[in-house]
Amino acid sequence: MSDDWSESAQAWIADQGELGDFSRQFVLDAAMLKRVEGRGFANALDVGCGEGRFCRMLNARGIPAVGIDPTLALLQTARERDPEGDYREGRAEALAFEDASFDLVVSYLTLIDIPDIGKAIPEMARVLRPGGTLLIANINSFISACADVTWVRGADGSYLHYPVDNYLDERSMWVSWRGIRLKNWHRPLSTYMSLLIAQNLALTWFDEPAPHGGDPSHAERYRRAPWHMVMEWRKP
Ligand SMILES: C[S@@+](CC[C@H](N)C(=O)[O-])C[C@H]1O[C@@H](n2cnc3c(N)ncnc32)[C@H](O)[C@@H]1O
């Protein structure tokens, strides 16, 4: 069980609401759904499914999804919100599935939460079928480098810039917002890319989606700093 996540689970659920937070509602959901719709995926695994929002979206599109997560309070909410769904306790580092079980494996803003990425990425590749797709949304490494500092502000409170520092130093850090306190991992982009390439996966899509709605002053921050990336990797 992930202790810091357990302590923040209720605040997280409240913060996400039904539609997800700003990142999900106004940036990532549309970009992620575009990558799955109409592709004929027979099934999916959502690694770190949280309270199950993206599994519900996949199920609604006719893609039966299994969600795994180590945080029991989040799994409980996922099951309450989707009693027909399939939500299981599990960790990315040791996926309890046979090799080649899924057409689609999703990591939706979980790579920065997973402590042992050197085990998790091979596991995600292992459970994919040949020809299957690993779809990743992650916080950009240029942002995670300073997630504990965030925006530098002017004397009038205006946002000046988002600093990047100690970029090449892999590390964990505590981050807090709206009653949530979690340990996130910063890793340079090359760490993720090297692990994915080492699995013989081929990068077939890369995007840094722009916000498409929401409060304009909030959206502006997502244009100024390189917040998110979406990648799709195919198993040969
Ligand atoms: C930022 S949340 C994202 C949840 C969900 N994918 C979403 O987008 O709403 C990160 C999730 O990763 C989960 N997590 C933490 N450590 C994990 C691990 N080792 N393996 C799998 N999931 C993990 C947490 O419990 C949490 O649900």
Side-chain angles (χ1 to χ4, degrees):
M1 160 129 47
S2 156
D3 286 339
D4 37 304
W5 264 99
S6 302
E7 283 163 23
S8 288
Q10 294 312 326
W12 172 264
I13 290 163
D15 197 54
Q16 292 299 315
E18 281 293 324
L19 298 176
D21 60 7
F22 185 94
S23 294
R24 289 163 175 80
Q25 200 181 338
F26 296 116
V27 188
L28 287 172
D29 280 354
M32 293 288 276
L33 289 173
K34 222 178 199 171
R35 304 311 309 161
V36 301
E37 280 168 343
R39 300 273 298 273
F41 294 124
N43 64 354
L45 173 68
D46 186 0
V47 178
C49 63
E51 53 70 58
R53 210 190 74 270
F54 201 65
C55 283
R56 295 193 290 279
M57 289 177 153
L58 291 172
N59 289 332
R61 284 158 181 81
I63 305 170
V66 181
I68 68 109
D69 202 286
T71 308
L72 299 183
L74 297 178
L75 284 177
Q76 188 185 330
T77 299
R79 290 172 184 139
E80 284 165 9
R81 291 182 167 173
D82 179 16
E84 307 294 311
D86 187 345
Y87 300 96
R88 308 183 194 182
E89 186 182 359
R91 304 190 75 90
E93 292 92 337
L95 294 172
F97 301 97
E98 302 284 323
D99 296 358
S101 295
F102 296 98
D103 268 3
L104 172 67
V105 173
V106 175
S107 163
Y108 195 141
L109 295 185
T110 62
L111 293 185
I112 60 160
D113 292 276
I114 296 172
D116 194 342
I117 209 71
K119 285 191 180 143
I121 286 178
E123 278 292 89
M124 292 180 198
R126 180 184 66 76
V127 301
L128 265 183
R129 289 192 185 119
T133 295
L134 172 57
L135 179 61
I136 295 172
N138 200 22
I139 304 278
N140 207 312
S141 299
F142 310 121
I143 286 288
S144 66
C146 278
D148 51 350
V149 178
T150 76
W151 288 91
V152 173
R153 294 180 187 232
D156 60 354
S158 59
Y159 296 104
L160 292 181
H161 63 271
Y162 202 103
V164 177
D165 203 359
N166 299 314
Y167 176 75
L168 287 178
D169 299 336
E170 198 166 318
R171 61 196 183 275
S172 66
M173 65 187 82
W174 288 97
V175 292
S176 309
W177 73 100
R178 296 188 290 275
I180 300 164
R181 184 170 181 269
L182 299 169
K183 195 188 279 178
N184 277 175
W185 292 83
H186 163 69
R187 304 168 179 109
L189 188 52
S190 53
T191 299
Y192 295 116
M193 301 306 259
S194 306
L195 286 166
L196 290 156
I197 290 167
Q199 293 307 307
N200 213 16
L201 300 172
L203 180 64
T204 56
W205 179 261
F206 185 89
D207 194 12
E208 295 172 302
H212 54 78
D215 173 2
S217 66
H218 199 74
E220 184 208 32
R221 278 183 262 165
Y222 287 75
R223 298 196 67 84
R224 289 184 56 188
W227 222 272
H228 298 114
M229 60 182 176
V230 172
M231 302 187 279
E232 191 176 313
W233 295 78
R234 190 165 54 234
K235 183 166 174 170

